[in-house]
């Protein structure tokens, strides 16, 4: 979900306290609010819809989608298999 939103340049509003919050904050992809904080959610939605916010998130969205690409996945899996085979041959 995060990768899809980032690839389309959409900001995210997520619940605080989990993996999605970590990613959203690390890559500046949107806002995180505590669960059941309705007023916080309304404020966050207002912040997410400003032109300034939309423009500032472009760099983070690009960085995140690049880090989640098929090429990166292939490299990580290849390295993992190589590491496992090297360990088995010792």
């Amino acid at each position: 979900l995060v990768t899809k939103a980032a690839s389309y340049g959409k900001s995210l509003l997520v619940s605080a306290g989990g993996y999605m919050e970590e990613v959203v904050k690390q890559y500046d992809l949107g806002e995180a609010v505590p669960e059941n904080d309705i007023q916080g959610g309304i404020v966050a939605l207002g912040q997410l819809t400003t032109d300034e916010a939309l423009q500032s998130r472009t760099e983070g969205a690009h960085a995140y989608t690049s880090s989640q690409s098929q090429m990166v996945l292939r490299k990580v899996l290849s390295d993992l298999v190589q590491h496992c085979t090297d360990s088995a041959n010792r």
Side-chain angles (χ1 to χ4, degrees):
L1 178 63
V2 176
T3 305
K4 192 172 204 173
S7 68
Y8 285 107
K10 303 298 181 185
S11 297
L12 291 166
L13 177 60
V14 299
S15 291
Y19 174 74
M20 289 179 76
E21 177 187 17
E22 291 177 29
V23 171
V24 164
K25 286 186 174 184
Q26 180 180 354
Y27 290 94
D28 190 27
L29 300 174
E31 299 289 332
V33 296
E35 192 175 331
N36 299 321
D37 183 359
I38 296 170
Q39 188 59 39
I42 291 169
V43 170
L45 284 172
Q47 292 171 341
L48 291 174
T49 57
T50 66
D51 289 336
E52 181 182 301
L54 296 173
Q55 291 173 354
S56 72
R57 290 192 163 79
T58 303
E59 187 176 317
H62 179 68
Y64 184 74
T65 55
S66 294
S67 74
Q68 301 298 308
S69 71
Q70 291 288 325
M71 187 184 323
V72 172
L73 177 62
R74 284 187 195 105
K75 172 80 171 107
V76 169
L77 290 176
S78 176
D79 290 349
L80 176 63
V81 169
Q82 184 65 44
H83 176 75
C84 290
T85 56
D86 289 348
S87 295
N89 292 331
R90 290 184 195 167

